[in-house]
Amino acid sequence: KSRELPSKEESLPYSNPLFTHPDLRQQMRYIAQFITYKCSHILSHGMLRNRQRWGVAYTHSGWKNLVMWKATRIENPKGRFLADPFVISRDGKDYCFVEDYDYASQRGCISVYACGAQGATCVGLALSEPFHLSFPYLFEHKNTLYMVPESAKNKDIRIYECVSFPCEWKLKRVVMSGVSAADNMIFKQGDYWWLFTNMNPQSNAEHCSELSAFYTDDPIEGEWTPHAANPLIIDPARARNGGILFDETSVYRVVQRFGYMQYGAGSAIYKITQLDPERYAETLLCEIKPNFFKRLLGTHHMHSNGVITAFDFVEKTKLD
């Protein structure tokens, strides 16, 4: 856009080796690893009917005091899995909105659960469309509750307004159309409302490499302006959103980590240290590894409102 290269980064010691094209030994090792993975997948998936199945757990605490192994699991419905939890408290009760994915239709909708001290109860279906929905991000503006679910399969970013909490919603606005954008988050920071999104410029299903931001004065009626530094991050190790956390005036972005042939192998929390229309910076606070329950394969999402904190996890299990 400016026809100029960015300023060069400060020189620092470099400890990694010189990266070159893989030699024959490295290629053979990779091929052997890939074949082993495929054979294991065919045996587990085809013959044993095992699936990677996501689940959600929660605890009544703030996110900084979270002890993940103490969390209460929400039971997955038969033939489905739950993921991408976002929590909210209303009238003395705590609720968790989740992606509710059906294996048979291969499509997700948004369901809501009431989260009590003794366990969770499904309240009902909050939102369903003819296309896949996930990541039911919630925000409030002028005493009205809104949801920004991921609708990348429909090539748009859309905002729904809550008509009757928690299960009646209506489409309020299509923010952008003709885009492939995942894991959208809208929040107020400083003088602006911000939209963080993992947008793919080639409009395909790969959403893990770039983080982009847009800002506006009004998230419902205003026009969204691209951040001057878009994409803010080009790094598949930390670009993709995995939730958001707040602490007084600070904002923390949860990011997804990926492993070899494993989507959502872990997550990390970054504190946003600088955010304005020209600049963006964040620093690593901590990493989250899937060690809190037995035999987990990964975790990639966390959200908290200070009263209740929820996160997801993935394990290999026989599909019911």
Side-chain angles (χ1 to χ4, degrees):
K1 295 177 182 178
S2 65
R3 310 301 300 172
E4 295 179 357
L5 291 172
S7 301
K8 69 175 185 178
E9 296 181 354
E10 180 183 1
S11 295
L12 296 170
Y14 181 77
S15 60
N16 290 317
L18 173 65
F19 290 105
T20 61
H21 292 292
D23 58 30
L24 181 60
R25 179 177 57 86
Q26 293 170 320
Q27 292 180 58
M28 294 304 294
R29 186 167 65 240
Y30 177 83
I31 291 171
Q33 186 178 4
F34 182 76
I35 291 174
T36 300
Y37 169 83
K38 279 296 185 183
C39 291
S40 174
H41 178 75
I42 291 171
L43 175 63
S44 176
H45 192 274
M47 298 179 66
L48 302 179
R49 296 190 74 246
N50 288 336
R51 298 289 189 277
Q52 287 198 15
R53 195 173 191 183
W54 288 89
V56 168
Y58 67 92
T59 181
H60 285 90
S61 73
W63 64 274
K64 285 193 171 181
N65 298 317
L66 173 65
V67 181
M68 299 177 77
W69 65 265
K70 292 184 177 181
T72 300
R73 295 190 187 211
I74 301 177
E75 184 177 354
N76 276 326
K78 186 176 181 179
R80 312 202 310 261
F81 71 67
L82 308 179
D84 296 352
F86 284 96
V87 297
I88 190 170
S89 299
R90 280 285 190 278
D91 301 323
K93 295 182 179 180
D94 301 314
Y95 298 88
C96 184
F97 287 76
V98 295
E99 171 194 352
D100 188 340
Y101 182 86
D102 180 74
Y103 282 101
S105 65
Q106 297 185 346
R107 192 171 73 230
C109 61
I110 307 302
S111 293
V112 58
Y113 284 76
C115 299
Q118 304 304 317
T121 304
C122 183
V123 178
L125 177 66
L127 191 61
S128 180
E129 295 284 9
F131 45 86
H132 176 76
L133 295 174
S134 61
F135 205 84
Y137 183 88
L138 304 169
F139 73 96
E140 292 187 81
H141 177 59
K142 295 181 179 180
N143 298 317
T144 302
L145 180 64
Y146 297 95
M147 184 194 301
V148 192
E150 177 191 316
S151 53
K153 289 291 186 181
N154 202 49
K155 300 294 184 183
D156 61 14
I157 300 175
R158 44 180 55 204
I159 297 175
Y160 291 84
E161 179 182 336
C162 185
V163 177
S164 178
F165 185 85
C167 291
E168 187 177 347
W169 300 76
K170 69 176 182 180
L171 180 62
K172 180 66 176 181
R173 180 188 179 189
V174 176
V175 175
M176 299 181 194
S177 57
V179 296
S180 183
D183 299 347
N184 312 299
M185 306 191 302
I186 293 177
F187 60 95
K188 182 76 160 55
Q189 179 70 352
D191 296 329
Y192 300 101
W193 284 87
W194 296 91
L195 165 61
F196 276 28
T197 179
N198 297 115
M199 191 174 292
N200 188 302
Q202 281 76 44
S203 293
N204 60 41
E206 199 286 304
H207 298 111
C208 300
S209 298
E210 295 187 7
L211 173 68
S212 295
F214 300 80
Y215 62 94
T216 185
D217 293 323
D218 189 313
I220 306 304
E221 304 296 337
E223 294 300 318
W224 291 93
T225 303
H227 193 285
N230 274 349
L232 303 184
I233 296 173
I234 306 175
D235 183 354
R238 67 183 182 99
R240 186 153 183 175
N241 296 322
I244 196 166
L245 303 165
F246 298 94
D247 178 26
E248 297 178 349
T249 60
S250 298
V251 183
Y252 300 80
R253 191 174 69 93
V254 182
V255 308
Q256 301 182 30
R257 301 282 203 212
F258 304 97
Y260 176 77
M261 303 297 285
Q262 180 58 56
Y263 170 72
S267 58
I269 301 174
Y270 281 79
K271 181 179 181 180
I272 298 175
T273 56
Q274 188 173 45
L275 178 58
D276 60 49
E278 303 292 329
R279 295 164 294 181
Y280 179 75
E282 62 182 24
T283 57
L284 177 64
L285 180 70
C286 67
E287 296 196 14
I288 308 294
K289 297 181 179 180
N291 300 326
F292 42 90
F293 297 147
K294 293 181 179 180
R295 296 182 292 277
L296 294 185
L297 300 174
T299 176
H300 77 346
H301 184 102
M302 183 184 296
H303 182 246
S304 177
N305 66 348
V307 176
I308 178 174
T309 301
F311 55 89
D312 64 12
F313 54 90
V314 63
E315 55 192 342
K316 185 171 286 188
T317 183
K318 190 177 293 293
L319 186 62
D320 52 17

